[in-house]
Amino acid sequence: MNAYILVVDDEPDVEALFRQQFRRELRAGRFQMEFATSAPDALKRAAEVRTPSLILSDINMPGMSGLDMLPKVLAAHPDVPVIMITAYGDAETRRKAIERGAVGLLTKPIDFALLRQEIDTRLEQAA
């Protein structure tokens, strides 16, 4: 599978954490992961680099939030599933994310077993 997952988060340690958690999948070539540190950077990568198979995005970021990015990325790539990630998984945040087009919302600290299941499900649906 040549899936491409775009992870959007302004925290500098996220890339190292995800690469460590998904090292087997990355090494086996199950999917590629690329990282953007802001919503504008993610929009640029999704437009210029390659259409992602899945986007995982933090909500609370300086400048443009993940919720503000969501309708923009879906306008350009309506078939790309987006899972939002937040430290604040309250009902209002979940409602806003789903209304704007997210297929799911995960809370921090991330349950990587659950995230792995979500990735598997979304990539199977896209295949």
Side-chain angles (χ1 to χ4, degrees):
M1 179 179 283
N2 195 12
Y4 163 49
I5 300 172
L6 180 58
V7 180
V8 188
D9 199 307
D10 62 308
E11 294 181 30
D13 59 340
V14 167
E15 181 173 353
L17 176 63
F18 273 67
R19 288 198 182 283
Q20 195 268 333
Q21 287 291 327
F22 293 103
R23 67 187 175 281
R24 287 186 199 106
E25 291 89 343
L26 294 169
R27 205 174 316 130
R30 260 202 77 224
F31 50 76
Q32 294 176 306
M33 254 184 193
E34 200 168 306
F35 298 84
T37 57
S38 69
D41 185 30
L43 291 171
K44 182 179 177 185
R45 287 173 191 251
E48 295 176 1
V49 178
R50 160 176 173 203
T51 300
S53 306
L54 173 66
I55 296 174
L56 306 172
S57 178
D58 188 22
I59 289 179
N60 295 316
M61 296 181 285
M64 184 188 299
S65 75
L67 288 176
D68 293 335
M69 177 195 74
L70 190 53
K72 294 176 189 304
V73 78
L74 291 175
H77 306 287
D79 296 331
V80 175
V82 180
I83 298 172
M84 304 306 292
I85 300 171
T86 184
Y88 311 101
D90 58 90
E92 180 65 11
T93 302
R94 181 174 300 281
R95 183 189 62 75
K96 285 180 185 176
I98 300 303
E99 278 180 0
R100 293 184 190 190
V103 297
L105 180 95
L106 299 175
T107 55
K108 292 179 180 180
I110 297 170
D111 176 342
F112 281 96
L114 180 60
L115 178 56
R116 198 170 263 105
Q117 288 175 345
E118 281 286 338
I119 289 171
D120 288 345
T121 298
R122 301 303 166 189
L123 294 182
E124 284 172 16
Q125 288 173 348

